[in-house]
């Protein structure tokens, strides 16, 4: 089974179908004029959620590495089992955020912009 790449066009089509499938009664209940705006609002929310979900998935270190000086979450194994921890990537190695030890994870995930932002300086 091969997977289809998610293109902007495919995501837009899926979002509009989702809006119609999830809210079929809205089509009947809302007069014709505002429905396109409501449908577009639902579609935009769907697209935003899908883009967020796609951008916050584990990435195999065999497929891609973060840019240098990137804070991330890593997933690896040790003698105790699986480990998920905050780390930073120096361009060559992942360093534990608390111990600066070098780790060799199988997967990584960038920290969200929300987690990286400084609440005192929005």
């Amino acid at each position: 089974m091969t997977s289809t790449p998610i293109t902007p066009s495919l995501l837009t089509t899926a979002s509009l179908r989702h809006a119609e499938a999830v809210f079929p009664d809205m089509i009947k209940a809302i007069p014709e004029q505002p429905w396109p705006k409501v449908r577009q609002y639902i579609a935009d929310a769907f697209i935003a959620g899908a883009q967020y979900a796609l951008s916050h998935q584990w990435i195999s270190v065999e497929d891609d590495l973060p840019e240098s000086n990137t804070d991330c979450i890593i997933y690896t194994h040790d003698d105790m089992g699986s480990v998920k921890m905050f780390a930073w990537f120096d361009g060559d190695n992942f360093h534990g955020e608390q111990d600066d030890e070098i780790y060799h994870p199988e997967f990584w995930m960038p920290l969200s912009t929300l987690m990286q932002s400084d609440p005192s300086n929005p």
Side-chain angles (χ1 to χ4, degrees):
M1 178 177 169
T2 58
S3 62
T4 304
I6 297 174
T7 63
S9 173
L10 182 62
L11 192 55
T12 299
T13 301
S15 67
L16 294 174
R17 287 184 183 157
H18 174 76
E20 291 172 351
V22 173
F23 303 103
D25 295 336
M26 272 191 180
I27 297 172
K28 297 174 190 166
I30 297 176
E32 189 63 32
Q33 266 319 87
W35 173 243
K37 289 181 182 178
V38 171
R39 183 176 130 177
Q40 189 60 51
Y41 178 80
I42 295 167
D44 291 346
F46 178 91
I47 290 171
Q51 289 172 334
Y52 179 85
L54 290 171
S55 69
H56 289 79
Q57 296 182 9
W58 290 109
I59 301 166
S60 170
V61 295
E62 294 178 6
D63 294 338
D64 198 10
L65 291 170
E67 293 181 18
S68 186
N69 297 318
T70 297
D71 291 327
C72 53
I73 302 170
I74 60 172
Y75 178 87
T76 189
H77 288 87
D78 65 10
D79 296 339
M80 304 290 286
S82 65
V83 177
K84 297 169 203 85
M85 64 184 303
F86 292 108
W88 63 279
F89 187 70
D90 67 7
D92 294 313
N93 296 298
F94 289 89
H95 298 264
E97 195 71 34
Q98 293 181 350
D99 57 14
D100 203 36
E101 185 176 329
I102 293 177
Y103 289 87
H104 303 282
E106 291 89 30
F107 300 94
W108 67 278
M109 180 188 307
L111 290 179
S112 72
T113 306
L114 180 63
M115 291 181 70
Q116 292 178 352
S117 65
D118 179 358
S120 64
N121 188 14

